[in-house]
Amino acid sequence: MAGRSDFTVSIKLGIGQYVATNSFFHRIDPRVKIVIGVLLIGAAVSGNSLLGLGLIFFLIWCGLLVSRVQARLAFITLGKMLPYLVFLALIQIFTVPRFHESPNVLWQWRILIVTGQGLISGSLLILRFSVIMLGLSLFSYTTTTTQLLHGIEHLLRPLQRLRFPAHELALVVNISLRFIPILAEEAEKLMKAQASRGADFGIGRRMGFIKRMRRMFPLFIPLFVQSLKHAYRLVEAMEARCYTGGRGRTNLINLRAERRDYIALVVGIIIIGGLVTAGLFNIDAFVWRIFNTRV
Amino acid sequence: MAGSGVAIDVKRLFHAYFPGTAMEVPSLKGVDLRIEREETIGIIGPAGSGKSTLLQHMNGLIRPRGAGYGDVVVLGLNLSDPSIDMRTVRQKVALLFQNPEDQLFERYVGDDIAFGPRNLGLSKAEVRERVQYAMDMVGLPFSFKDRITEDLSGGEKRRAALAGVLSMEPEVLVLDEPTAGIDPQGRRHLMEVLGKWLSRAGRSMVIVSHTMEDIAELADRVYVLVSGQVLLHGSTAEVFSSYGLLKKYGLGIPTAVEITRFLKKEGFEIPPGVVRVKQAVQSIQGILHGRKI
């Protein structure tokens, strides 16, 4: 049976939706959130502790619950990604054994070998992605694009001395983020208009990937044309209000960090530091050993 | 077939956007609406009253959520039934969105108009015939089929878009603000085309517009939708006689009605049921004749 909301593209994009519940997470200085976010992505990508990543996953989940945003939505988005992640993880699982000197073989069938190391790296891949996705969701649910813009601009301001276009970069990021829901809405409208003329997007039915992509093709052209039109209109609207770039521009909002923000920053850094340390000192193996000796 | 005299029957329809989330917005709260065959319905209502959502239910772009959320029955087909072929429904009920010229996507005008018939799986000759018929209907010369879509003027693009849905040969035409954003000549022309289309037997139309004159010109009956509910419905003349209520919700009445209302207030005899300019002119002529005698 076809889904009831056949064409709602916008809801499928869990990222990029601000949910105003004004929780603790909403009130943290955006700069702190950006710094922690970047550190988190770095730590998640380089971290190789399953325990650490699992713990962080749990903490972010708690964060989603505490901030009273739609934790369910974040998980729906994650669930949609899961098949791809599992596919990538499977590739990892079956290819990693070739690169280990002393593989711990758990299962073997002809050339297919599953080793402990393979399983670990597969799970790591899934966990890393999940942590990043969920972290980004938490960030975007609790931060308005305006806050993000100000955060980036403030953070990059010291670089302006070196002629780095901090303001412009922040603006570009802001506009790109703003365009995501606009494009999603536009795509939805086009799909509906074309479906009204008998187009079949294979929604709710099985359809080959190539065929599905071919059906999508008539969407891309008007979508592209319209985003260009949007962009031109935006430029005109900005110029009509005397926008000339970052030079000499003052801010309505000046970010000032409060005690809360420093505490959040310190706590965040400690947690991420913990993750990095867990990876460096191979905590997983340590815990595993303790667990085994007890039993 | 249940009720062959009914084109579209909307029964106690409920709808909400983002159901089950913090962003849930109810948009339709138990709407009842019926479109008879060979009838034209006008739907008016302030912005955000659920008009577009309602229209999208009429060709199954949005389907009722389930039991208790109401039903939409199109030409005897209940859209809640998951086994019905939506393409049949969408061929019979053509929906033209707001600013349809933004939704043209083929390089050549003819290809864009042929999009619908091709999706119906018609033969090349039949597609050609349909395109010719539709272009003739909207007053575009057949030679325009080889023009580049982007090179058309705004009004021509709108006509091409209309041709794109007429080429499906629907029985019901559903229009969302068909005259918004085009010049007066374009509007007059469009109204003529719609009138001509309606003149063939068995055809029904639903038209949403903020231009009350459009509604007065075409509609037999009018529904007033306010925050997801039918506030008022009746014949066009009846609805436009409730000036106070319409004004309260930010709506208006056609100029012809406004003029005759004024004349009536001044004590002139105006026959009931005047909503169109032509009718207003006739009744004013009647007054002038009466004076002379």
Side-chain angles (χ1 to χ4, degrees), chain B residues 213 216 236-238 240-243 253-287:
Chain B
E213 284 74 19
T236 309
E238 274 165 25
F240 284 135
S241 65
S242 320
Y243 180 56
I253 50 173
T255 320
V257 178
E258 210 146 354
I259 291 170
T260 48
R261 246 177 68 87
F262 181 73
L263 289 174
K264 229 187 245 175
K265 236 189 233 166
E266 297 289 310
F268 291 102
E269 188 87 15
I270 300 285
V274 172
V275 285
R276 297 178 190 165
V277 174
K278 226 178 194 170
Q279 295 165 331
V281 169
Q282 276 165 2
S283 51
I284 292 168
Q285 278 171 339
I287 293 168

Side-chain angles (χ1 to χ4, degrees), chain A residues 1-2 4 6-7 11 17 19 70 72-73 189-190 192-200 218 221-222 226 229, chain B residues 18 20-23 56 59 61 63-65 80 82 87 90 95 97 102-103 105 112 115-116 119 164 168:
Chain A
M1 197 172 78
R4 286 297 164 216
D6 284 356
F7 297 96
I11 193 81
Q17 282 265 348
V19 186
Q70 295 285 307
R72 212 170 55 97
L73 277 186
K189 229 200 275 171
L190 288 166
K192 281 179 169 173
Q194 291 180 11
S196 297
R197 293 165 68 190
D200 184 1
I221 297 159
Q226 286 200 45
K229 276 187 194 161
Chain B
F18 309 118
T21 72
M23 295 164 281
Q56 288 175 36
N59 75 342
L61 286 176
R63 290 161 87 170
R65 232 165 104 203
S80 302
R87 268 207 267 182
R90 287 175 191 153
L95 176 57
F97 278 93
D102 291 344
Q103 286 142 14
F105 60 93
D112 210 285
F115 183 72
N119 282 330
M168 305 276 287

Side-chain angles (χ1 to χ4, degrees), chain B:
Chain B
M1 284 279 245
S4 61
V6 181
I8 298 178
D9 202 357
V10 177
K11 298 176 201 159
R12 283 198 66 70
L13 185 64
F14 286 84
H15 182 262
Y17 283 103
F18 309 118
T21 72
M23 295 164 281
E24 174 164 339
V25 190
S27 56
L28 296 178
K29 302 173 207 158
V31 171
D32 279 299
L33 179 141
R34 174 176 284 202
I35 300 139
E36 307 281 342
R37 263 178 203 265
E38 306 204 350
E39 188 184 34
T40 298
I41 290 290
I43 301 177
I44 57 177
S49 57
K51 302 183 297 284
S52 288
T53 314
L54 180 58
L55 291 193
Q56 288 175 36
H57 278 89
M58 291 180 182
N59 75 342
L61 286 176
I62 307 177
R63 290 161 87 170
R65 232 165 104 203
Y69 289 95
D71 285 299
V72 180
V73 182
V74 173
L75 301 162
L77 299 165
N78 191 329
L79 299 193
S80 302
D81 178 0
S83 66
I84 57 164
D85 182 16
M86 291 315 291
R87 268 207 267 182
T88 321
V89 174
R90 287 175 191 153
Q91 182 267 313
K92 294 200 160 143
V93 181
L95 176 57
L96 193 66
F97 278 93
Q98 251 175 68
N99 302 327
E101 58 276 10
D102 291 344
Q103 286 142 14
L104 301 174
F105 60 93
E106 290 279 10
R107 188 168 158 77
Y108 296 105
V109 177
D111 282 333
D112 210 285
I113 298 169
F115 183 72
R118 278 182 187 145
N119 282 330
L120 297 177
L122 298 176
S123 73
K124 218 173 165 182
E126 282 171 307
V127 170
R128 197 181 161 85
E129 200 179 300
R130 291 275 187 111
V131 171
Q132 192 158 13
Y133 152 78
M135 291 183 77
D136 179 55
M137 198 80 212
V138 301
L140 284 176
F142 191 50
S143 63
F144 267 50
K145 72 184 196 314
D146 298 319
R147 294 255 183 128
I148 307 275
T149 316
E150 277 308 305
D151 292 346
L152 297 188
S153 74
E156 287 167 344
K157 274 191 204 166
R158 173 119 2 152
R159 278 192 246 170
L162 180 61
V165 296
L166 293 184
S167 64
M168 305 276 287
E169 297 199 341
E171 291 175 34
V172 185
L173 186 57
V174 180
L175 306 160
D176 196 354
E177 303 238 22
T179 60
I182 50 173
D183 58 23
Q185 196 199 344
R187 176 183 168 267
R188 269 199 301 277
H189 186 267
L190 197 69
M191 298 302 281
E192 269 167 33
V193 170
L194 295 179
K196 197 170 82 187
W197 184 83
L198 271 173
S199 63
R200 191 87 81 78
R203 288 175 169 174
S204 326
M205 192 188 288
V206 180
I207 174 168
V208 162
S209 184
H210 286 305
T211 313
M212 299 300 145
E213 284 74 19
D214 294 356
I215 303 280
E217 208 63 50
L218 289 170
D220 302 309
R221 284 193 302 131
V222 176
Y223 282 79
V224 183
L225 206 62
V226 172
S227 53
Q229 284 170 315
V230 176
L231 176 79
L232 188 70
H233 70 99
S235 75
T236 309
E238 274 165 25
V239 168
F240 284 135
S241 65
S242 320
Y243 180 56
L245 197 59
L246 293 177
K247 203 176 159 195
K248 189 177 154 200
Y249 290 101
L251 300 166
I253 50 173
T255 320
V257 178
E258 210 146 354
I259 291 170
T260 48
R261 246 177 68 87
F262 181 73
L263 289 174
K264 229 187 245 175
K265 236 189 233 166
E266 297 289 310
F268 291 102
E269 188 87 15
I270 300 285
V274 172
V275 285
R276 297 178 190 165
V277 174
K278 226 178 194 170
Q279 295 165 331
V281 169
Q282 276 165 2
S283 51
I284 292 168
Q285 278 171 339
I287 293 168
L288 292 177
H289 274 282
R291 277 242 173 124
K292 267 177 195 166
I293 294 165

